Amino acid sequence: MAANFILQPAGFLDVPPFGSSRIFGKLISSRFFCNASHHKFNPVIASICNASAVDPTPSHSISHGSSTESTLILIRHGESMWNEKNLFTGCCDVPLTRRGVEEAIEAGKRISYIPVDMIFTSGLIRAKMTAMLAMTQHHQKKVPIIMHNESEQATTWSQVYSETTIKQSIPVITTWQLNERMYGELQGLNKKETAERYGKEQVHEWRRSYDIQPPKGESLEMCLRRAVTYFKEFIEPQLQSGKHVMVAAHANSLRSIIMYLDKMTSQEVTNLELSTGIPLLYIYKDGRFSSRGSPVGPTEAGVYAYTESLAVYRQQLDEMSH
């Protein structure tokens, strides 16, 4: 008899404000109640992240004229071991392949001159690996630290007591709301064999339609509700405050976010394909998001249409390294 693995998200999501004048790891949680049936998150205590845990210069609050612009980097994880085997992965937690590791490192080279103050990832290891590996290539030379506040003990044990170390660190927030679509009874099945069994049209409908669920799984619309709700309530406020954010997640959670950013229709998003390990860059300015390039083919690092402010930031990093 086959074993059943069930993802059971918690009813409460703790999201910490980052940084402390004394201790990086001593977090005062903002608690948000999750109504799973409506995918609605309501703040009970306070909003996320009033203070930055990173050195405010030179990356924090890039000004352009009279406005402040923030950068948003979206990265789909590198190739996973189940991508390699052509299996439906969904919320199953499998790591990267060697190729996936190389893709993550290459992604890091592509964004090595783009400021990063905060990182959000899904709760799955392939997204977390991608973010960590990518940051090994960044010229900012700051260390990403995954925040643990799942319990009082976890918070206490992960405290950092050095102000210098705090300034050299980037907080990393992991959340199940950015997880891949839950593919239900398709998870672990070979995609080619599934198409032969159910028909190519049926499988294509399960994979690419907007509101049709695979057996006991999520539709893209359902994935969008949780991913975009989280983005709007927790990530977008960071961009509004001038912080620069990287999000490492999955094909469908990122398709959902891009649908929101680019104001795509439900029909348009079904045709959106995202390559593994290719970072997408957005600029947030005056309440609007604008895409700054979508490098699919080139392998060189400088593939983005930099703004004037990003060009200045890159020059500053180069000067600091010499």
Side-chain angles (χ1 to χ4, degrees):
M1 183 176 179
N4 294 319
F5 296 89
I6 301 173
L7 178 69
Q8 184 65 46
F12 287 90
L13 172 66
D14 281 332
V15 184
F18 314 111
S20 166
S21 60
R22 295 177 63 84
I23 302 172
F24 183 60
K26 189 171 184 178
L27 306 171
I28 303 172
S29 296
S30 298
R31 181 155 291 208
F32 295 80
F33 180 72
C34 168
N35 183 333
S37 62
H38 294 91
H39 299 267
K40 179 67 176 177
F41 301 89
N42 298 307
V44 174
I45 298 180
S47 61
I48 177 178
C49 190
N50 293 319
S52 175
V54 294
D55 187 357
T57 55
S59 67
H60 187 64
S61 296
I62 292 180
S63 295
H64 182 70
S66 60
S67 300
T68 297
E69 66 179 38
S70 302
T71 56
L72 171 65
I73 301 167
L74 304 178
I75 306 179
R76 182 188 175 191
H77 63 82
E79 181 190 66
S80 75
M81 289 185 172
W82 278 14
N83 289 144
E84 183 182 46
K85 293 179 179 296
N86 200 30
L87 305 182
F88 285 100
T89 310
C91 286
C92 295
D93 206 0
V94 298
L96 300 179
T97 60
R98 180 182 294 273
R99 176 183 172 183
V101 169
E102 292 171 353
E103 287 177 335
I105 292 172
E106 177 60 29
K109 293 177 181 178
R110 292 172 184 262
I111 62 166
S112 61
Y113 283 101
I114 300 173
V116 179
D117 291 330
M118 298 174 60
I119 300 172
F120 289 83
T121 80
S122 79
L124 302 175
I125 189 64
R126 56 193 186 273
K128 290 187 280 188
M129 287 179 70
T130 298
M132 301 300 102
L133 289 165
M135 290 308 297
T136 65
Q137 304 301 306
H138 205 283
H139 290 279
Q140 195 175 10
K141 302 299 183 183
K142 292 186 177 180
V143 178
I145 300 180
I146 295 177
M147 299 289 93
H148 288 285
N149 69 322
E150 56 268 23
S151 67
E152 184 176 352
Q153 185 180 58
T155 300
T156 301
W157 284 17
S158 60
Q159 290 178 5
V160 177
Y161 293 88
S162 167
E163 289 289 345
T164 300
T165 301
I166 290 170
K167 291 180 179 180
Q168 297 171 351
S169 303
I170 298 176
V172 182
I173 312 306
T174 62
T175 175
W176 68 268
Q177 283 90 344
L178 296 177
N179 281 8
E180 179 58 288
R181 265 175 78 186
M182 203 280 279
Y183 267 101
E185 293 182 347
L186 299 185
Q187 291 185 169
L189 299 183
N190 181 277
K191 294 177 182 178
K192 181 180 178 181
E193 293 174 357
T194 304
E196 291 172 353
R197 177 178 177 182
Y198 294 100
K200 291 183 179 180
E201 291 185 4
Q202 177 64 78
V203 172
H204 184 269
E205 190 173 60
W206 283 333
R207 296 185 65 192
R208 288 293 176 262
S209 63
Y210 178 69
D211 56 2
I212 296 176
Q213 302 169 234
K216 298 183 180 180
E218 282 185 307
S219 64
L220 176 59
E221 182 181 25
M222 294 167 68
C223 178
L224 181 144
R225 287 176 191 164
R226 59 174 165 85
V228 172
T229 296
Y230 186 90
F231 182 89
K232 290 167 69 174
E233 296 201 10
F234 298 122
I235 299 176
E236 194 165 352
Q238 307 312 312
L239 297 164
Q240 292 169 344
S241 72
K243 292 183 175 65
H244 309 288
V245 177
M246 182 171 81
V247 178
H250 308 268
N252 285 291
S253 53
L254 290 178
R255 287 169 72 213
S256 300
I257 291 171
I258 291 170
M259 181 180 178
Y260 167 68
L261 299 180
D262 293 345
K263 297 180 172 58
M264 301 174 72
T265 66
S266 58
Q267 181 59 45
E268 289 172 333
V269 75
T270 60
N271 297 318
L272 176 63
E273 297 285 347
L274 298 179
S275 300
T276 55
I278 301 294
L280 305 180
L281 174 63
Y282 284 82
I283 299 296
Y284 180 83
K285 182 181 177 183
D286 297 329
R288 297 182 179 181
F289 291 94
S290 59
S291 175
R292 300 297 294 187
S294 177
V296 176
T299 57
E300 67 273 15
V303 292
Y304 297 103
Y306 277 15
T307 63
E308 180 181 343
S309 299
L310 285 178
V312 170
Y313 174 73
R314 177 170 184 160
Q315 182 178 356
Q316 289 175 330
L317 285 183
D318 279 338
E319 290 173 353
M320 290 170 62
S321 64
H322 291 92

